Amino acid sequence: MDAIDPAAPPRLRTPVPGSRARAYVERLAASECPALTTRRARREEQTGAPHDPPVWTRAAGCHVWDVDDNRFVDLSAGFGAAAVGHAHPKVVAAIQAQAARLMHALGDLQPSDVKVDLLERLAGLVPLPNARVILGLQGSDAVEAALKTAVLCTGKPGVLAFTGGYHGLAHGPLALCGYRAAFRTPFSNQLNPHVCFAPYPGLESGRAETLAGALASIASAWDAAGSPIGAVVVEPVLGRGGVVLPPPGFLRELGALCRARGALLIADEIMTGLGRTGHLLLSIAMGAEPDIVCLGKALGGGQPVSACVGRGDVMAAWGDPGGEALHTGTFLGNPVGCAAALAALRVLTDEDLATRALRVGERWQGELQTLTARHTSIEAVRGIGLLQGIVLSSPGQALSVVQGLLRRGYITVPAGADTRVLSLTPPLTIPEPLLEGFLPALDDTLSEHAT
Ligand SMILES: Cc1ncc(COP(=O)(O)O)c(C=O)c1O
């Protein structure tokens, strides 16, 4: 395959989606769970424009090619997973070597050498005393492991979560989904009933906007909870919920509250961690001392790998005297995923991509902010590092803007419960000319979609 200039702009050969992509989407509609086809149809109704997607066939660095040979710039980094860029050569080499040597082992029963290497690496990376790790595949596996750890450790079934929070859609994390009640409702009879919600500070106007008000709201929710709370699960910055930054000191005070009330603080760093927000772990940079940290997305360098990393004394709760491995799975510690994660972590730390994300993200935010003077439809540009959000003035508006940008060759995703936020999470390696090149495309799109 031809090498490509990492800073090459988008290049579209057909309208998006092209005829080949449309043919694939028709096949998709006939074979995929109808939920996704229905969503496309609803979005089409909402925005008056087709929502058929391009169909990916290849990706490298910040570029994605579709089946019609259109080349896009991916400002979503594949939902944040391609933090080191798609198909980073060192990650690919590690996967190829591992796949040729050992693709699968006996999970918890007979581990692979590379699984042991990854566990050690993670325990060293997350600065918790005597850290221990449970690996998973998706982000929601890590949250599920953290929730189980909390109940084993504290004996308390209750969980305090936040409005706007998103932790994955498996049954454990789904019960904590404050992002949209609609995700929980059809399954509510099957979900943990011991969950209460507090407002995420800054998500909506009101008492929880200030630090003192947010803490008071949490205390009220906690006091009103019907069950003893053993865990508080929080995103250091709301990601899917709309890129919302809490006031300074919030994470630190939340940790103190947890300690005072005998609950574990679980920091969900699946989106914010491993460099995206300018720090390897944002919760710790914000002064919190979490008991458990959940990692995913960027961890696998594009392979499905997640991790629940906890303090040694907390994780000791798993030491069942009956000797049962209460939490395992066929693919636990999959060797190919472990090799990919080790390579991705090496790239992240060797190239200090966290520091780069902070520097490049700050500059880009300033450039994005210049567009607010030209577009009344931009309410705010907010974020940290390369987790940025553009808050638009009307509900649903991000859907049209995402489509407009796609037609100009940029892949972005909508965020926020009322889809008013354009989420921008490019690979941390993105060449700056690509970030600059995005500005006129956004400018044009916003002019087209002015409301
Ligand atoms: C903060 C956070 N936690 C958990 C998850 C769930 O991860 P996954 O979709 O890999 O299960 C996500 C996914 O977007 C996330 O952003």
Side-chain angles (χ1 to χ4, degrees), residues 10 12 16 54 62-64 66 70-74 406 409-411:
L12 300 181
V16 179
C62 296
H63 295 112
V64 168
D66 76 354
N70 295 309
R71 185 179 72 219
F72 300 87
V73 168
D74 181 12
L406 201 54
Y410 291 92
I411 296 171

Side-chain angles (χ1 to χ4, degrees), residues 136-158:
L137 298 174
Q138 312 244 37
S140 44
D141 297 346
V143 177
E144 205 134 63
L147 292 170
K148 283 184 170 180
T149 304
V151 79
L152 285 178
C153 177
T154 66
K156 302 176 190 175

Side-chain angles (χ1 to χ4, degrees), residues 138-140 166-168 235 268 270-271 297:
Q138 312 244 37
S140 44
Y166 184 82
H167 307 284
E235 289 173 77
D268 179 346
I270 288 165
M271 174 60 99
K297 292 196 186 277

Side-chain angles (χ1 to χ4, degrees), residues 277-295:
T277 53
H279 301 276
L280 275 183
L281 297 168
L282 184 59
S283 54
I284 289 175
M286 285 175 156
E289 291 173 30
D291 300 285
I292 298 177
V293 172
C294 296
L295 297 172

